[in-house]
Amino acid sequence: MPISHRLLAVSVAAMWGLNFIAIDASLGQFPPFLLVALRFAIIAVPTLLLVPRPRVPVRWLLGYGIGFGTLQFLFLYWGMAVGMPTGLASLVLQSSAPFTVLLGAVAFRDRVPARQLVGLGVATLGLAVVGWSQAQAAAFAPFLLVLAGGFGWAIGNVSNARARAANPLHLTLWMSVVPPVPMFALSLAVEGPDAIAAAFVPGPHMVSALVGLAYTVLIGTLVGSGIWTWLMARHPAGVVAPFSMLVPVVGLSASAVLLGEDIEAATALGAALVIGGVLWGALRKANAPTPVGAEGPPASTRERVGS
């Protein structure tokens, strides 16, 4: 992966790390399932009217929308709403990286270089250290919910990578068409019409909630996911996905500064392992030549997409 592409992946990690602060602000006003529906409906309506559907297999478009858009945020918002600390949520959601590599290797026989396996193992150890250090901060049920969100993200990653859209932004926009209807239905059934109506009554948290919603839509979804989709279309999912493990470093730091959440020494050590593992797995040795075809998915992936 070229240095410019690595920098883009790191920038997305920063955007998504701050996204957790925005989500926390929005959950102060909106119930979680309704918030997911609103987040994507704001994008879906103009997309249906103005953006042509990307010419990709429907199964990969639906897989991206269901995994990345619906399952990830359903479980993430639900977990945060029932007590998962913001910084810890940003950490646990990055289970998507090992889940992505595992799904790619098992379901699609993606090749995983030994260097990347080592780096991913170190980064996963870092996540475990941070999770252990903050285990007392969250109940087990919220932890499992956010972990399920990480698995949803992994489903979206492998679907996204195999769609190979000519215009990645169009794929990102059309991914947003999938979540609104099922999430509005779930909100109506679980949260109820009274809670939905109350969410639109102006209150002390309304302004910060709307600012947070605007950030998640414009930066977290359009800009961040657009760049992420662009990268996924050009590199194997297992190469791009580990950069998401940098998100908790930003999320934990921002939560400490803006929300007053504590960062213990073990948490800082784990964050350092995450950074080191990602860099080790993603960067080539300076004197190592770029092998032919190394800047794109393997031929087997292209053949499956075309089928």
Side-chain angles (χ1 to χ4, degrees), residues 95-127:
S95 57
S96 64
F99 279 144
T100 298
V101 174
L102 179 63
L103 282 176
V106 173
F108 301 101
R109 298 181 181 178
D110 286 349
R111 292 170 292 181
V112 184
R115 184 185 181 92
Q116 185 187 344
L117 280 175
V118 172
L120 190 62
V122 172
T124 301
L125 175 62
L127 290 174

mmCIF file of all heavy atoms in Angstrom, residues 95-127:
data_model
loop_
_atom_site.group_PDB
_atom_site.id
_atom_site.type_symbol
_atom_site.label_atom_id
_atom_site.label_comp_id
_atom_site.label_asym_id
_atom_site.label_seq_id
_atom_site.Cartn_x
_atom_site.Cartn_y
_atom_site.Cartn_z
ATOM 1 N N SER A 95 -12.613 -4.848 17.084
ATOM 2 C CA SER A 95 -12.584 -6.293 16.851
ATOM 3 C C SER A 95 -12.918 -6.598 15.402
ATOM 4 O O SER A 95 -12.682 -7.712 14.920
ATOM 5 C CB SER A 95 -13.581 -6.996 17.774
ATOM 6 O OG SER A 95 -14.899 -6.483 17.576
ATOM 7 N N SER A 96 -13.454 -5.597 14.677
ATOM 8 C CA SER A 96 -13.741 -5.778 13.250
ATOM 9 C C SER A 96 -12.492 -6.169 12.466
ATOM 10 O O SER A 96 -12.593 -6.895 11.457
ATOM 11 C CB SER A 96 -14.328 -4.493 12.661
ATOM 12 O OG SER A 96 -13.390 -3.438 12.712
ATOM 13 N N ALA A 97 -11.313 -5.694 12.878
ATOM 14 C CA ALA A 97 -10.091 -5.987 12.113
ATOM 15 C C ALA A 97 -9.761 -7.475 12.120
ATOM 16 O O ALA A 97 -9.642 -8.079 11.043
ATOM 17 C CB ALA A 97 -8.928 -5.151 12.639
ATOM 18 N N PRO A 98 -9.613 -8.115 13.288
ATOM 19 C CA PRO A 98 -9.375 -9.560 13.235
ATOM 20 C C PRO A 98 -10.551 -10.333 12.660
ATOM 21 O O PRO A 98 -10.350 -11.341 11.971
ATOM 22 C CB PRO A 98 -9.107 -9.938 14.703
ATOM 23 C CG PRO A 98 -9.581 -8.794 15.517
ATOM 24 C CD PRO A 98 -9.465 -7.586 14.662
ATOM 25 N N PHE A 99 -11.779 -9.871 12.915
ATOM 26 C CA PHE A 99 -12.944 -10.529 12.312
ATOM 27 C C PHE A 99 -12.865 -10.465 10.784
ATOM 28 O O PHE A 99 -13.199 -11.426 10.086
ATOM 29 C CB PHE A 99 -14.246 -9.869 12.779
ATOM 30 C CG PHE A 99 -14.728 -10.304 14.139
ATOM 31 C CD1 PHE A 99 -15.351 -9.406 14.991
ATOM 32 C CD2 PHE A 99 -14.577 -11.613 14.563
ATOM 33 C CE1 PHE A 99 -15.812 -9.796 16.242
ATOM 34 C CE2 PHE A 99 -15.034 -12.021 15.818
ATOM 35 C CZ PHE A 99 -15.646 -11.109 16.657
ATOM 36 N N THR A 100 -12.437 -9.320 10.240
ATOM 37 C CA THR A 100 -12.338 -9.161 8.787
ATOM 38 C C THR A 100 -11.313 -10.120 8.200
ATOM 39 O O THR A 100 -11.561 -10.777 7.184
ATOM 40 C CB THR A 100 -11.965 -7.712 8.419
ATOM 41 O OG1 THR A 100 -13.002 -6.833 8.871
ATOM 42 C CG2 THR A 100 -11.805 -7.552 6.915
ATOM 43 N N VAL A 101 -10.134 -10.178 8.822
ATOM 44 C CA VAL A 101 -9.095 -11.081 8.338
ATOM 45 C C VAL A 101 -9.585 -12.522 8.409
ATOM 46 O O VAL A 101 -9.374 -13.318 7.483
ATOM 47 C CB VAL A 101 -7.805 -10.893 9.152
ATOM 48 C CG1 VAL A 101 -6.765 -11.927 8.756
ATOM 49 C CG2 VAL A 101 -7.251 -9.486 8.941
ATOM 50 N N LEU A 102 -10.266 -12.868 9.510
ATOM 51 C CA LEU A 102 -10.764 -14.235 9.681
ATOM 52 C C LEU A 102 -11.813 -14.579 8.619
ATOM 53 O O LEU A 102 -11.751 -15.638 7.984
ATOM 54 C CB LEU A 102 -11.356 -14.399 11.084
ATOM 55 C CG LEU A 102 -11.944 -15.771 11.421
ATOM 56 C CD1 LEU A 102 -10.845 -16.833 11.379
ATOM 57 C CD2 LEU A 102 -12.613 -15.752 12.798
ATOM 58 N N LEU A 103 -12.777 -13.672 8.386
ATOM 59 C CA LEU A 103 -13.810 -13.915 7.384
ATOM 60 C C LEU A 103 -13.199 -14.025 5.984
ATOM 61 O O LEU A 103 -13.587 -14.887 5.190
ATOM 62 C CB LEU A 103 -14.846 -12.787 7.406
ATOM 63 C CG LEU A 103 -15.885 -12.816 8.520
ATOM 64 C CD1 LEU A 103 -16.764 -11.570 8.455
ATOM 65 C CD2 LEU A 103 -16.755 -14.071 8.414
ATOM 66 N N GLY A 104 -12.258 -13.118 5.678
ATOM 67 C CA GLY A 104 -11.630 -13.153 4.369
ATOM 68 C C GLY A 104 -10.866 -14.445 4.131
ATOM 69 O O GLY A 104 -10.919 -15.034 3.045
ATOM 70 N N ALA A 105 -10.151 -14.914 5.159
ATOM 71 C CA ALA A 105 -9.344 -16.128 5.024
ATOM 72 C C ALA A 105 -10.214 -17.376 4.947
ATOM 73 O O ALA A 105 -9.956 -18.280 4.143
ATOM 74 C CB ALA A 105 -8.368 -16.229 6.191
ATOM 75 N N VAL A 106 -11.256 -17.441 5.783
ATOM 76 C CA VAL A 106 -12.092 -18.648 5.851
ATOM 77 C C VAL A 106 -13.089 -18.715 4.698
ATOM 78 O O VAL A 106 -13.229 -19.746 4.032
ATOM 79 C CB VAL A 106 -12.824 -18.713 7.206
ATOM 80 C CG1 VAL A 106 -13.829 -19.857 7.220
ATOM 81 C CG2 VAL A 106 -11.832 -18.875 8.349
ATOM 82 N N ALA A 107 -13.798 -17.607 4.452
ATOM 83 C CA ALA A 107 -14.867 -17.624 3.454
ATOM 84 C C ALA A 107 -14.369 -17.419 2.031
ATOM 85 O O ALA A 107 -14.963 -17.941 1.086
ATOM 86 C CB ALA A 107 -15.921 -16.565 3.800
ATOM 87 N N PHE A 108 -13.277 -16.646 1.863
ATOM 88 C CA PHE A 108 -12.843 -16.288 0.511
ATOM 89 C C PHE A 108 -11.386 -16.659 0.226
ATOM 90 O O PHE A 108 -10.862 -16.323 -0.822
ATOM 91 C CB PHE A 108 -13.046 -14.782 0.288
ATOM 92 C CG PHE A 108 -14.476 -14.352 0.465
ATOM 93 C CD1 PHE A 108 -14.884 -13.739 1.642
ATOM 94 C CD2 PHE A 108 -15.416 -14.584 -0.531
ATOM 95 C CE1 PHE A 108 -16.205 -13.347 1.819
ATOM 96 C CE2 PHE A 108 -16.730 -14.198 -0.357
ATOM 97 C CZ PHE A 108 -17.136 -13.583 0.815
ATOM 98 N N ARG A 109 -10.729 -17.336 1.179
ATOM 99 C CA ARG A 109 -9.363 -17.805 0.997
ATOM 100 C C ARG A 109 -8.385 -16.671 0.684
ATOM 101 O O ARG A 109 -7.465 -16.831 -0.118
ATOM 102 C CB ARG A 109 -9.307 -18.873 -0.098
ATOM 103 C CG ARG A 109 -10.136 -20.115 0.234
ATOM 104 C CD ARG A 109 -10.031 -21.161 -0.848
ATOM 105 N NE ARG A 109 -10.846 -22.338 -0.538
ATOM 106 C CZ ARG A 109 -10.972 -23.389 -1.333
ATOM 107 N NH1 ARG A 109 -10.301 -23.429 -2.484
ATOM 108 N NH2 ARG A 109 -11.733 -24.399 -0.991
ATOM 109 N N ASP A 110 -8.616 -15.513 1.302
ATOM 110 C CA ASP A 110 -7.670 -14.406 1.159
ATOM 111 C C ASP A 110 -6.334 -14.807 1.770
ATOM 112 O O ASP A 110 -6.284 -15.444 2.830
ATOM 113 C CB ASP A 110 -8.188 -13.151 1.867
ATOM 114 C CG ASP A 110 -9.330 -12.482 1.122
ATOM 115 O OD1 ASP A 110 -9.576 -12.869 -0.036
ATOM 116 O OD2 ASP A 110 -9.961 -11.583 1.704
ATOM 117 N N ARG A 111 -5.248 -14.397 1.113
ATOM 118 C CA ARG A 111 -3.912 -14.686 1.635
ATOM 119 C C ARG A 111 -3.538 -13.649 2.699
ATOM 120 O O ARG A 111 -3.744 -12.458 2.505
ATOM 121 C CB ARG A 111 -2.897 -14.667 0.504
ATOM 122 C CG ARG A 111 -3.073 -15.817 -0.490
ATOM 123 C CD ARG A 111 -2.211 -15.612 -1.724
ATOM 124 N NE ARG A 111 -2.692 -14.482 -2.515
ATOM 125 C CZ ARG A 111 -2.123 -14.095 -3.653
ATOM 126 N NH1 ARG A 111 -1.058 -14.721 -4.105
ATOM 127 N NH2 ARG A 111 -2.616 -13.070 -4.309
ATOM 128 N N VAL A 112 -2.978 -14.123 3.802
ATOM 129 C CA VAL A 112 -2.555 -13.239 4.892
ATOM 130 C C VAL A 112 -1.050 -13.421 5.091
ATOM 131 O O VAL A 112 -0.617 -14.463 5.590
ATOM 132 C CB VAL A 112 -3.309 -13.544 6.201
ATOM 133 C CG1 VAL A 112 -2.924 -12.537 7.278
ATOM 134 C CG2 VAL A 112 -4.814 -13.541 5.976
ATOM 135 N N PRO A 113 -0.226 -12.435 4.690
ATOM 136 C CA PRO A 113 1.231 -12.568 4.844
ATOM 137 C C PRO A 113 1.627 -12.744 6.309
ATOM 138 O O PRO A 113 0.944 -12.257 7.222
ATOM 139 C CB PRO A 113 1.768 -11.251 4.290
ATOM 140 C CG PRO A 113 0.681 -10.724 3.411
ATOM 141 C CD PRO A 113 -0.594 -11.175 4.043
ATOM 142 N N ALA A 114 2.750 -13.433 6.519
ATOM 143 C CA ALA A 114 3.218 -13.699 7.884
ATOM 144 C C ALA A 114 3.482 -12.401 8.641
ATOM 145 O O ALA A 114 3.160 -12.289 9.835
ATOM 146 C CB ALA A 114 4.486 -14.550 7.834
ATOM 147 N N ARG A 115 4.047 -11.387 7.959
ATOM 148 C CA ARG A 115 4.322 -10.110 8.619
ATOM 149 C C ARG A 115 3.037 -9.478 9.129
ATOM 150 O O ARG A 115 2.974 -8.935 10.228
ATOM 151 C CB ARG A 115 5.045 -9.176 7.642
ATOM 152 C CG ARG A 115 5.462 -7.837 8.253
ATOM 153 C CD ARG A 115 6.064 -6.922 7.194
ATOM 154 N NE ARG A 115 6.500 -5.654 7.753
ATOM 155 C CZ ARG A 115 7.716 -5.403 8.198
ATOM 156 N NH1 ARG A 115 8.638 -6.357 8.156
ATOM 157 N NH2 ARG A 115 8.037 -4.225 8.690
ATOM 158 N N GLN A 116 1.983 -9.555 8.313
ATOM 159 C CA GLN A 116 0.712 -8.973 8.735
ATOM 160 C C GLN A 116 0.101 -9.743 9.890
ATOM 161 O O GLN A 116 -0.502 -9.153 10.791
ATOM 162 C CB GLN A 116 -0.256 -8.945 7.555
ATOM 163 C CG GLN A 116 -1.565 -8.228 7.881
ATOM 164 C CD GLN A 116 -2.589 -8.351 6.777
ATOM 165 O OE1 GLN A 116 -2.243 -8.711 5.658
ATOM 166 N NE2 GLN A 116 -3.826 -8.059 7.087
ATOM 167 N N LEU A 117 0.255 -11.081 9.873
ATOM 168 C CA LEU A 117 -0.259 -11.882 10.980
ATOM 169 C C LEU A 117 0.409 -11.489 12.292
ATOM 170 O O LEU A 117 -0.255 -11.380 13.330
ATOM 171 C CB LEU A 117 -0.037 -13.366 10.704
ATOM 172 C CG LEU A 117 -1.035 -14.060 9.776
ATOM 173 C CD1 LEU A 117 -0.607 -15.489 9.511
ATOM 174 C CD2 LEU A 117 -2.435 -14.026 10.393
ATOM 175 N N VAL A 118 1.726 -11.287 12.252
ATOM 176 C CA VAL A 118 2.450 -10.880 13.460
ATOM 177 C C VAL A 118 1.949 -9.518 13.935
ATOM 178 O O VAL A 118 1.661 -9.324 15.124
ATOM 179 C CB VAL A 118 3.972 -10.848 13.195
ATOM 180 C CG1 VAL A 118 4.698 -10.239 14.389
ATOM 181 C CG2 VAL A 118 4.491 -12.248 12.919
ATOM 182 N N GLY A 119 1.869 -8.561 13.000
ATOM 183 C CA GLY A 119 1.400 -7.227 13.371
ATOM 184 C C GLY A 119 -0.008 -7.247 13.920
ATOM 185 O O GLY A 119 -0.316 -6.580 14.921
ATOM 186 N N LEU A 120 -0.882 -8.017 13.281
ATOM 187 C CA LEU A 120 -2.259 -8.112 13.748
ATOM 188 C C LEU A 120 -2.334 -8.763 15.118
ATOM 189 O O LEU A 120 -3.126 -8.365 15.985
ATOM 190 C CB LEU A 120 -3.088 -8.912 12.739
ATOM 191 C CG LEU A 120 -4.603 -8.913 12.956
ATOM 192 C CD1 LEU A 120 -5.159 -7.508 12.847
ATOM 193 C CD2 LEU A 120 -5.274 -9.832 11.940
ATOM 194 N N GLY A 121 -1.451 -9.752 15.351
ATOM 195 C CA GLY A 121 -1.416 -10.390 16.664
ATOM 196 C C GLY A 121 -0.985 -9.427 17.755
ATOM 197 O O GLY A 121 -1.571 -9.404 18.852
ATOM 198 N N VAL A 122 0.039 -8.598 17.468
ATOM 199 C CA VAL A 122 0.493 -7.603 18.447
ATOM 200 C C VAL A 122 -0.605 -6.586 18.721
ATOM 201 O O VAL A 122 -0.869 -6.221 19.877
ATOM 202 C CB VAL A 122 1.775 -6.901 17.942
ATOM 203 C CG1 VAL A 122 2.142 -5.733 18.852
ATOM 204 C CG2 VAL A 122 2.931 -7.892 17.867
ATOM 205 N N ALA A 123 -1.265 -6.106 17.642
ATOM 206 C CA ALA A 123 -2.336 -5.128 17.815
ATOM 207 C C ALA A 123 -3.509 -5.719 18.588
ATOM 208 O O ALA A 123 -4.119 -5.050 19.433
ATOM 209 C CB ALA A 123 -2.799 -4.622 16.452
ATOM 210 N N THR A 124 -3.826 -6.984 18.316
ATOM 211 C CA THR A 124 -4.908 -7.644 19.047
ATOM 212 C C THR A 124 -4.546 -7.804 20.522
ATOM 213 O O THR A 124 -5.395 -7.638 21.411
ATOM 214 C CB THR A 124 -5.209 -9.024 18.428
ATOM 215 O OG1 THR A 124 -5.570 -8.857 17.047
ATOM 216 C CG2 THR A 124 -6.355 -9.717 19.155
ATOM 217 N N LEU A 125 -3.276 -8.102 20.791
ATOM 218 C CA LEU A 125 -2.817 -8.150 22.180
ATOM 219 C C LEU A 125 -3.006 -6.791 22.838
ATOM 220 O O LEU A 125 -3.423 -6.701 24.004
ATOM 221 C CB LEU A 125 -1.345 -8.569 22.222
ATOM 222 C CG LEU A 125 -0.681 -8.554 23.608
ATOM 223 C CD1 LEU A 125 -1.370 -9.536 24.541
ATOM 224 C CD2 LEU A 125 0.810 -8.872 23.483
ATOM 225 N N GLY A 126 -2.689 -5.713 22.087
ATOM 226 C CA GLY A 126 -2.902 -4.373 22.622
ATOM 227 C C GLY A 126 -4.356 -4.118 22.962
ATOM 228 O O GLY A 126 -4.671 -3.546 24.016
ATOM 229 N N LEU A 127 -5.261 -4.553 22.074
ATOM 230 C CA LEU A 127 -6.691 -4.404 22.366
ATOM 231 C C LEU A 127 -7.076 -5.180 23.620
ATOM 232 O O LEU A 127 -7.875 -4.710 24.439
ATOM 233 C CB LEU A 127 -7.518 -4.899 21.171
ATOM 234 C CG LEU A 127 -7.476 -4.046 19.908
ATOM 235 C CD1 LEU A 127 -8.230 -4.740 18.773
ATOM 236 C CD2 LEU A 127 -8.065 -2.667 20.156
#
